[in-house]
Short mmCIF file of all heavy atoms in Angstrom, two decimals:
data_model
loop_
_atom_site.label_atom_id
_atom_site.label_comp_id
_atom_site.label_asym_id
_atom_site.label_seq_id
_atom_site.Cartn_x
_atom_site.Cartn_y
_atom_site.Cartn_z
N ASN A 1 97.82 108.21 94.40
CA ASN A 1 98.65 107.02 94.58
C ASN A 1 97.78 105.89 95.13
O ASN A 1 97.65 105.72 96.34
CB ASN A 1 99.80 107.33 95.54
CG ASN A 1 100.85 108.23 94.93
OD1 ASN A 1 101.37 107.95 93.86
ND2 ASN A 1 101.16 109.32 95.61
N ASN A 2 97.19 105.15 94.21
CA ASN A 2 96.24 104.10 94.60
C ASN A 2 96.80 102.69 94.40
O ASN A 2 96.32 101.76 95.04
CB ASN A 2 94.95 104.25 93.76
CG ASN A 2 94.04 103.06 93.88
OD1 ASN A 2 93.38 102.87 94.90
ND2 ASN A 2 94.00 102.24 92.84
N ALA A 3 97.80 102.51 93.56
CA ALA A 3 98.30 101.17 93.26
C ALA A 3 98.71 100.43 94.53
O ALA A 3 99.43 100.98 95.37
CB ALA A 3 99.50 101.26 92.30
N GLY A 4 98.24 99.20 94.65
CA GLY A 4 98.58 98.43 95.84
C GLY A 4 98.32 96.95 95.63
O GLY A 4 97.46 96.56 94.84
N ILE A 5 99.06 96.13 96.36
CA ILE A 5 98.88 94.68 96.30
C ILE A 5 98.91 94.10 97.71
O ILE A 5 99.35 94.77 98.66
CB ILE A 5 99.98 93.99 95.45
CG1 ILE A 5 101.36 94.22 96.08
CG2 ILE A 5 99.95 94.49 94.02
CD1 ILE A 5 102.46 93.39 95.44
N THR A 6 98.44 92.88 97.85
CA THR A 6 98.55 92.14 99.11
C THR A 6 99.26 90.82 98.85
O THR A 6 99.13 90.23 97.78
CB THR A 6 97.18 91.84 99.74
OG1 THR A 6 96.38 91.10 98.80
CG2 THR A 6 96.46 93.13 100.11
N ARG A 7 100.00 90.37 99.85
CA ARG A 7 100.64 89.04 99.84
C ARG A 7 100.56 88.55 101.28
O ARG A 7 101.53 88.59 102.03
CB ARG A 7 102.09 89.11 99.35
CG ARG A 7 102.26 89.58 97.93
CD ARG A 7 101.79 88.54 96.92
NE ARG A 7 102.08 88.94 95.54
CZ ARG A 7 101.27 89.66 94.78
NH1 ARG A 7 100.11 90.08 95.29
NH2 ARG A 7 101.57 89.98 93.55
N ASP A 8 99.39 88.08 101.68
CA ASP A 8 99.11 87.81 103.09
C ASP A 8 99.74 86.51 103.59
O ASP A 8 99.76 85.50 102.88
CB ASP A 8 97.61 87.74 103.33
CG ASP A 8 96.90 89.06 103.03
OD1 ASP A 8 97.59 90.08 102.85
OD2 ASP A 8 95.65 89.06 103.00
N ALA A 9 100.23 86.57 104.82
CA ALA A 9 100.74 85.39 105.52
C ALA A 9 101.08 85.80 106.95
O ALA A 9 101.42 86.97 107.20
CB ALA A 9 101.98 84.81 104.83
N LEU A 10 100.99 84.87 107.88
CA LEU A 10 101.48 85.15 109.22
C LEU A 10 102.98 85.41 109.16
O LEU A 10 103.69 84.87 108.30
CB LEU A 10 101.19 83.97 110.14
CG LEU A 10 99.70 83.68 110.42
CD1 LEU A 10 99.55 82.39 111.21
CD2 LEU A 10 99.06 84.85 111.16
N LEU A 11 103.46 86.22 110.06
CA LEU A 11 104.85 86.67 110.02
C LEU A 11 105.84 85.51 109.91
O LEU A 11 106.77 85.55 109.09
CB LEU A 11 105.17 87.50 111.26
CG LEU A 11 106.61 87.98 111.39
CD1 LEU A 11 106.98 88.93 110.25
CD2 LEU A 11 106.83 88.66 112.73
N VAL A 12 105.66 84.48 110.72
CA VAL A 12 106.64 83.38 110.74
C VAL A 12 106.62 82.58 109.44
O VAL A 12 107.55 81.81 109.18
CB VAL A 12 106.41 82.45 111.94
CG1 VAL A 12 106.67 83.18 113.24
CG2 VAL A 12 105.00 81.85 111.92
N ARG A 13 105.57 82.75 108.63
CA ARG A 13 105.49 82.03 107.37
C ARG A 13 105.70 82.93 106.16
O ARG A 13 105.67 82.46 105.02
CB ARG A 13 104.11 81.35 107.24
CG ARG A 13 103.85 80.31 108.32
CD ARG A 13 102.44 79.77 108.22
NE ARG A 13 102.16 78.80 109.29
CZ ARG A 13 100.96 78.34 109.57
NH1 ARG A 13 99.91 78.73 108.86
NH2 ARG A 13 100.80 77.47 110.56
N MET A 14 105.88 84.21 106.41
CA MET A 14 105.98 85.16 105.31
C MET A 14 107.35 85.06 104.64
O MET A 14 108.40 85.16 105.29
CB MET A 14 105.74 86.59 105.79
CG MET A 14 105.71 87.62 104.67
SD MET A 14 105.27 89.25 105.26
CE MET A 14 103.56 88.99 105.73
N GLU A 15 107.33 84.89 103.34
CA GLU A 15 108.57 84.85 102.59
C GLU A 15 109.08 86.26 102.34
O GLU A 15 108.29 87.19 102.15
CB GLU A 15 108.36 84.12 101.26
CG GLU A 15 107.96 82.66 101.41
CD GLU A 15 107.79 81.98 100.07
OE1 GLU A 15 108.53 82.32 99.13
OE2 GLU A 15 106.93 81.10 99.97
N GLU A 16 110.39 86.39 102.31
CA GLU A 16 111.00 87.70 102.11
C GLU A 16 110.52 88.35 100.82
O GLU A 16 110.26 89.56 100.78
CB GLU A 16 112.52 87.57 102.08
CG GLU A 16 113.25 88.91 101.94
CD GLU A 16 114.75 88.76 101.91
OE1 GLU A 16 115.24 87.62 101.82
OE2 GLU A 16 115.45 89.80 101.99
N LYS A 17 110.35 87.56 99.77
CA LYS A 17 109.92 88.13 98.49
C LYS A 17 108.53 88.75 98.59
O LYS A 17 108.23 89.72 97.88
CB LYS A 17 109.96 87.07 97.39
CG LYS A 17 108.95 85.93 97.57
CD LYS A 17 109.04 84.93 96.43
CE LYS A 17 108.00 83.81 96.59
NZ LYS A 17 108.08 82.82 95.48
N ASN A 18 107.67 88.20 99.45
CA ASN A 18 106.33 88.75 99.60
C ASN A 18 106.32 90.01 100.46
O ASN A 18 105.45 90.86 100.29
CB ASN A 18 105.39 87.69 100.18
CG ASN A 18 105.08 86.60 99.17
OD1 ASN A 18 105.19 86.81 97.96
ND2 ASN A 18 104.73 85.42 99.65
N TRP A 19 107.25 90.12 101.38
CA TRP A 19 107.44 91.39 102.09
C TRP A 19 107.93 92.45 101.10
O TRP A 19 107.38 93.55 101.01
CB TRP A 19 108.44 91.22 103.24
CG TRP A 19 108.79 92.52 103.90
CD1 TRP A 19 109.75 93.42 103.50
CD2 TRP A 19 108.16 93.09 105.04
NE1 TRP A 19 109.76 94.52 104.34
CE2 TRP A 19 108.80 94.34 105.29
CE3 TRP A 19 107.13 92.69 105.90
CZ2 TRP A 19 108.43 95.17 106.36
CZ3 TRP A 19 106.77 93.51 106.95
CH2 TRP A 19 107.42 94.74 107.18
N ASP A 20 108.95 92.09 100.33
CA ASP A 20 109.57 93.05 99.42
C ASP A 20 108.61 93.52 98.32
O ASP A 20 108.58 94.70 97.97
CB ASP A 20 110.81 92.43 98.77
CG ASP A 20 111.96 92.25 99.76
OD1 ASP A 20 111.91 92.87 100.85
OD2 ASP A 20 112.90 91.50 99.45
N SER A 21 107.83 92.61 97.76
CA SER A 21 106.95 92.99 96.66
C SER A 21 105.85 93.96 97.12
O SER A 21 105.51 94.91 96.41
CB SER A 21 106.32 91.75 96.01
OG SER A 21 105.52 91.04 96.94
N VAL A 22 105.31 93.73 98.32
CA VAL A 22 104.29 94.64 98.86
C VAL A 22 104.90 96.01 99.13
O VAL A 22 104.29 97.05 98.81
CB VAL A 22 103.65 94.04 100.13
CG1 VAL A 22 102.81 95.08 100.86
CG2 VAL A 22 102.79 92.85 99.76
N MET A 23 106.08 96.04 99.71
CA MET A 23 106.74 97.32 99.97
C MET A 23 107.08 98.05 98.67
O MET A 23 106.95 99.27 98.56
CB MET A 23 108.02 97.11 100.78
CG MET A 23 107.76 96.72 102.21
SD MET A 23 106.89 98.02 103.11
CE MET A 23 106.55 97.17 104.64
N GLU A 24 107.50 97.29 97.66
CA GLU A 24 107.89 97.89 96.39
C GLU A 24 106.73 98.61 95.72
O GLU A 24 106.87 99.73 95.24
CB GLU A 24 108.47 96.84 95.45
CG GLU A 24 108.91 97.42 94.11
CD GLU A 24 109.55 96.39 93.22
OE1 GLU A 24 110.76 96.16 93.36
OE2 GLU A 24 108.84 95.82 92.38
N VAL A 25 105.58 97.97 95.69
CA VAL A 25 104.42 98.57 95.02
C VAL A 25 103.76 99.62 95.91
O VAL A 25 103.55 100.77 95.51
CB VAL A 25 103.40 97.49 94.62
CG1 VAL A 25 102.14 98.14 94.04
CG2 VAL A 25 104.01 96.53 93.61
N ASN A 26 103.40 99.23 97.14
CA ASN A 26 102.57 100.09 97.98
C ASN A 26 103.31 101.32 98.50
O ASN A 26 102.74 102.42 98.51
CB ASN A 26 102.03 99.30 99.17
CG ASN A 26 101.16 98.13 98.74
OD1 ASN A 26 101.02 97.82 97.57
ND2 ASN A 26 100.57 97.46 99.71
N LEU A 27 104.53 101.12 98.97
CA LEU A 27 105.25 102.23 99.60
C LEU A 27 106.27 102.87 98.66
O LEU A 27 106.24 104.09 98.45
CB LEU A 27 105.93 101.75 100.87
CG LEU A 27 106.59 102.82 101.75
CD1 LEU A 27 105.62 103.94 102.08
CD2 LEU A 27 107.15 102.18 103.03
N LYS A 28 107.14 102.07 98.07
CA LYS A 28 108.11 102.64 97.14
C LYS A 28 107.42 103.22 95.92
O LYS A 28 107.84 104.25 95.38
CB LYS A 28 109.14 101.60 96.71
CG LYS A 28 110.26 102.20 95.86
CD LYS A 28 111.25 101.14 95.38
CE LYS A 28 112.32 101.76 94.51
NZ LYS A 28 113.23 100.74 93.94
N GLY A 29 106.33 102.58 95.47
CA GLY A 29 105.57 103.11 94.34
C GLY A 29 105.02 104.49 94.63
O GLY A 29 105.02 105.38 93.78
N THR A 30 104.52 104.68 95.86
CA THR A 30 104.02 105.99 96.27
C THR A 30 105.15 107.01 96.30
O THR A 30 104.99 108.16 95.85
CB THR A 30 103.35 105.89 97.65
OG1 THR A 30 102.23 105.01 97.56
CG2 THR A 30 102.89 107.24 98.16
N PHE A 31 106.31 106.61 96.80
CA PHE A 31 107.49 107.48 96.79
C PHE A 31 107.90 107.84 95.36
O PHE A 31 108.11 109.01 95.03
CB PHE A 31 108.65 106.77 97.51
CG PHE A 31 110.01 107.35 97.21
CD1 PHE A 31 110.43 108.53 97.79
CD2 PHE A 31 110.86 106.70 96.32
CE1 PHE A 31 111.69 109.06 97.50
CE2 PHE A 31 112.11 107.22 96.03
CZ PHE A 31 112.52 108.42 96.63
N ASN A 32 108.01 106.83 94.49
CA ASN A 32 108.45 107.08 93.12
C ASN A 32 107.53 108.06 92.41
O ASN A 32 107.99 109.03 91.78
CB ASN A 32 108.48 105.76 92.33
CG ASN A 32 109.67 104.89 92.68
OD1 ASN A 32 110.66 105.35 93.24
ND2 ASN A 32 109.57 103.61 92.35
N CYS A 33 106.23 107.80 92.47
CA CYS A 33 105.28 108.64 91.74
C CYS A 33 105.23 110.06 92.30
O CYS A 33 105.21 111.04 91.55
CB CYS A 33 103.89 108.02 91.76
SG CYS A 33 103.76 106.50 90.80
N THR A 34 105.23 110.17 93.62
CA THR A 34 105.19 111.50 94.23
C THR A 34 106.44 112.29 93.88
O THR A 34 106.37 113.46 93.49
CB THR A 34 105.04 111.39 95.75
OG1 THR A 34 103.86 110.65 96.05
CG2 THR A 34 104.94 112.76 96.39
N ARG A 35 107.59 111.66 94.01
CA ARG A 35 108.86 112.35 93.73
C ARG A 35 108.94 112.84 92.29
O ARG A 35 109.41 113.94 92.01
CB ARG A 35 110.02 111.40 94.03
CG ARG A 35 111.41 112.03 93.85
CD ARG A 35 112.46 111.09 94.40
NE ARG A 35 113.80 111.63 94.22
CZ ARG A 35 114.59 111.36 93.19
NH1 ARG A 35 114.15 110.56 92.22
NH2 ARG A 35 115.80 111.88 93.10
N VAL A 36 108.46 112.01 91.36
CA VAL A 36 108.54 112.37 89.95
C VAL A 36 107.51 113.44 89.57
O VAL A 36 107.84 114.44 88.94
CB VAL A 36 108.37 111.10 89.07
CG1 VAL A 36 108.18 111.49 87.61
CG2 VAL A 36 109.58 110.20 89.22
N PHE A 37 106.25 113.24 89.96
CA PHE A 37 105.19 114.14 89.51
C PHE A 37 105.15 115.46 90.28
O PHE A 37 104.65 116.47 89.77
CB PHE A 37 103.83 113.45 89.59
CG PHE A 37 103.61 112.44 88.51
CD1 PHE A 37 103.70 111.07 88.78
CD2 PHE A 37 103.33 112.83 87.21
CE1 PHE A 37 103.51 110.13 87.78
CE2 PHE A 37 103.15 111.90 86.20
CZ PHE A 37 103.23 110.54 86.49
N VAL A 38 105.69 115.48 91.50
CA VAL A 38 105.64 116.72 92.28
C VAL A 38 106.55 117.80 91.69
O VAL A 38 106.34 118.99 91.92
CB VAL A 38 105.99 116.45 93.76
CG1 VAL A 38 107.50 116.35 93.97
CG2 VAL A 38 105.41 117.54 94.66
N ARG A 39 107.55 117.40 90.93
CA ARG A 39 108.48 118.38 90.36
C ARG A 39 107.74 119.42 89.52
O ARG A 39 107.98 120.63 89.63
CB ARG A 39 109.54 117.67 89.52
CG ARG A 39 110.48 116.78 90.31
CD ARG A 39 111.30 115.90 89.39
NE ARG A 39 112.18 115.01 90.13
CZ ARG A 39 112.78 113.95 89.60
NH1 ARG A 39 112.59 113.65 88.33
NH2 ARG A 39 113.56 113.18 90.34
N GLU A 40 106.85 118.94 88.66
CA GLU A 40 106.10 119.85 87.80
C GLU A 40 105.11 120.66 88.61
O GLU A 40 104.87 121.84 88.33
CB GLU A 40 105.39 119.02 86.71
CG GLU A 40 104.80 119.82 85.57
CD GLU A 40 103.36 120.21 85.83
OE1 GLU A 40 102.69 119.53 86.62
OE2 GLU A 40 102.92 121.22 85.24
N MET A 41 104.55 120.08 89.65
CA MET A 41 103.63 120.81 90.53
C MET A 41 104.36 121.95 91.25
O MET A 41 103.82 123.05 91.41
CB MET A 41 103.03 119.86 91.57
CG MET A 41 102.11 118.79 91.01
SD MET A 41 101.50 117.69 92.34
CE MET A 41 100.47 116.57 91.42
N LEU A 42 105.58 121.68 91.68
CA LEU A 42 106.36 122.70 92.38
C LEU A 42 106.61 123.91 91.48
O LEU A 42 106.56 125.05 91.92
CB LEU A 42 107.69 122.11 92.85
CG LEU A 42 107.61 121.12 94.02
CD1 LEU A 42 108.93 120.37 94.18
CD2 LEU A 42 107.24 121.84 95.31
N LYS A 43 106.87 123.65 90.21
CA LYS A 43 107.12 124.74 89.27
C LYS A 43 105.90 125.62 89.09
O LYS A 43 106.00 126.85 88.98
CB LYS A 43 107.55 124.18 87.91
CG LYS A 43 108.91 123.51 87.91
CD LYS A 43 109.22 122.90 86.55
CE LYS A 43 110.55 122.16 86.56
NZ LYS A 43 110.81 121.49 85.25
#
């Protein structure tokens, strides 16, 4: 799980969309891929 992006800004200037996009790729992406691919590994 290597896919990742940055959207840098100080907290008080950070737009919600830039928080969400980083979380979607970096963290949710890791969750999505692990959850999907681990099924076959478990078998």
Side-chain angles (χ1 to χ4, degrees):
N1 288 307
N2 168 74
I5 62 171
T6 57
R7 297 289 185 271
D8 297 349
L10 294 173
L11 177 63
V12 294
R13 298 175 182 169
M14 185 174 292
E15 297 181 34
E16 183 180 10
K17 66 179 182 180
N18 289 336
W19 174 275
D20 290 344
S21 62
V22 168
M23 288 297 172
E24 181 177 275
V25 175
N26 299 6
L27 187 53
K28 186 183 178 184
T30 297
F31 162 77
N32 285 341
C33 291
T34 302
R35 183 170 179 266
V36 169
F37 286 104
V38 80
R39 294 168 181 164
E40 192 269 336
M41 294 178 180
L42 289 167
K43 292 176 183 176

